[in-house]
Amino acid sequence: MQWMESLAVGDPLIDAQHRAFFDEVGAVVLALADGASRAVVQRFHRDFIISLARHFRDEELLLARIHYPDLDHHQAEHRALMASVTALAEILASADSLAEMMVVVRNTITTLIEHMALEDMRYRRYVSQPQAERW
């Protein structure tokens, strides 16, 4: 997975966190290709969930600061995404093969990319515009 500038929202912290997710996933995919153990993948997934929670907090603070009008919806999307990614940890715990672990990793990043491409793009214009021009 490679970062795409088209996913940038215009905030340095949020964009750096988004890029870091791609780097982390790339590293775990390479580890899986090299036959990584379930423990390695579980550690990645656990760390990913921690980073994702921190990212959501930072993003929601940004959205509140810029007075994003759809903040409640975005927060609900974050809760749903976190529940989905957390549920994948249970699947990972019982994975018996590298293929099953790869499915969990792929579903994790697919869920995140879909959120970034759909939901995060909705607030991008609010990040770059002065407040007076937003409405």
Side-chain angles (χ1 to χ4, degrees):
M1 302 297 304
Q2 298 243 340
W3 167 254
M4 299 168 284
E5 281 302 317
S6 62
L7 294 174
V9 298
D11 180 80
L13 174 62
I14 300 304
D15 289 337
Q17 290 171 339
H18 285 169
R19 281 186 199 97
F21 289 136
F22 278 81
D23 292 344
E24 292 166 19
V25 169
V28 79
V29 166
L30 288 175
L32 278 166
D34 287 340
S37 68
R38 181 174 31 203
V40 167
V41 180
Q42 286 176 312
R43 186 168 44 254
F44 153 76
H45 202 264
R46 183 193 65 240
D47 292 348
F48 182 85
I49 289 171
I50 292 167
S51 295
L52 192 60
R54 184 179 322 113
H55 167 69
F56 286 166
R57 183 200 66 226
D58 292 343
E59 190 172 74
E60 290 171 10
L61 288 171
L62 167 67
L63 297 180
R65 191 170 61 247
I66 65 172
H67 305 286
Y68 180 57
D70 216 5
L71 176 57
D72 290 342
H73 170 77
H74 204 86
Q75 289 171 320
E77 289 292 325
H78 282 171
R79 287 189 300 273
L81 197 150
M82 186 59 79
S84 174
V85 170
T86 301
L88 289 171
E90 294 175 23
I91 297 169
L92 186 59
S94 63
D96 291 327
S97 67
L98 285 174
E100 287 177 293
M101 289 188 288
M102 190 58 146
V103 167
V104 171
V105 170
R106 184 174 41 244
N107 287 341
T108 299
I109 192 62
T110 299
T111 300
L112 181 64
I113 290 171
E114 286 174 355
H115 174 79
M116 289 167 41
L118 299 173
E119 297 300 325
D120 290 355
M121 292 302 102
R122 291 183 178 156
Y123 74 75
R124 178 168 56 182
R125 71 181 177 100
Y126 291 87
V127 173
S128 61
Q129 290 180 342
Q131 185 172 348
E133 296 177 17
R134 292 184 192 142
W135 296 280

